[in-house]
Amino acid sequence: SRYYISVFAATTMLFEAKHEWVEKMAVLDKYQNLLMRHCGFLTVMGGRGLFYLFQGTLWLTFSDSFGELLNIGAAIGLSFVGLLHLFAHWGVMPHHIAQKAVAL
């Protein structure tokens, strides 16, 4: 459902935000700590890459036709960023390039 996408999107933003920003809000800091304990894959480039690819497939499930270009665009974008993270994890490209691509 779309609730999953919303939670996953918030989680993605949390892990890509500067740590200093997250620390300022106790609720977000606790949620991030919980995720780091129970979803350790989000703390490494390869794990986040797979998570982004998974989110991309979720966005595609909501695309019934080419008329829903926003959903398709989000799916392609998340999948692309997921691939960049996987390449960085495998050492094919430097980590700072993947982080810069996410920041754009």
Side-chain angles (χ1 to χ4, degrees):
S1 97
R2 294 190 189 266
Y3 297 112
Y4 289 116
I5 287 180
S6 299
V7 171
F8 291 161
T11 299
T12 297
M13 290 186 291
L14 186 65
F15 273 89
E16 296 301 336
K18 290 183 180 181
H19 186 65
E20 298 83 38
W21 297 350
V22 176
E23 283 182 329
K24 290 181 180 179
M25 298 191 69
V27 172
L28 295 179
D29 194 37
K30 285 182 182 182
Y31 179 59
Q32 188 179 50
N33 291 339
L34 175 86
L35 289 172
M36 290 170 80
R37 273 194 308 277
H38 298 288
C39 304
F41 64 91
L42 291 173
T43 64
V44 294
M45 294 289 275
R48 278 202 313 274
L50 291 173
F51 182 59
Y52 296 158
L53 284 171
F54 173 69
Q55 287 183 77
T57 62
L58 282 179
W59 274 99
L60 278 179
T61 63
F62 291 110
S63 303
D64 297 334
S65 67
F66 281 112
E68 298 183 28
L69 291 177
L70 183 61
N71 289 346
I72 294 169
I76 291 170
L78 280 165
S79 298
F80 178 71
V81 170
L83 288 174
L84 290 177
H85 274 72
L86 286 174
F87 288 148
H89 178 77
W90 293 322
V92 175
M93 67 181 237
H95 285 46
H96 72 280
I97 299 294
Q99 291 171 348
K100 183 177 180 181
V102 170
L104 292 177

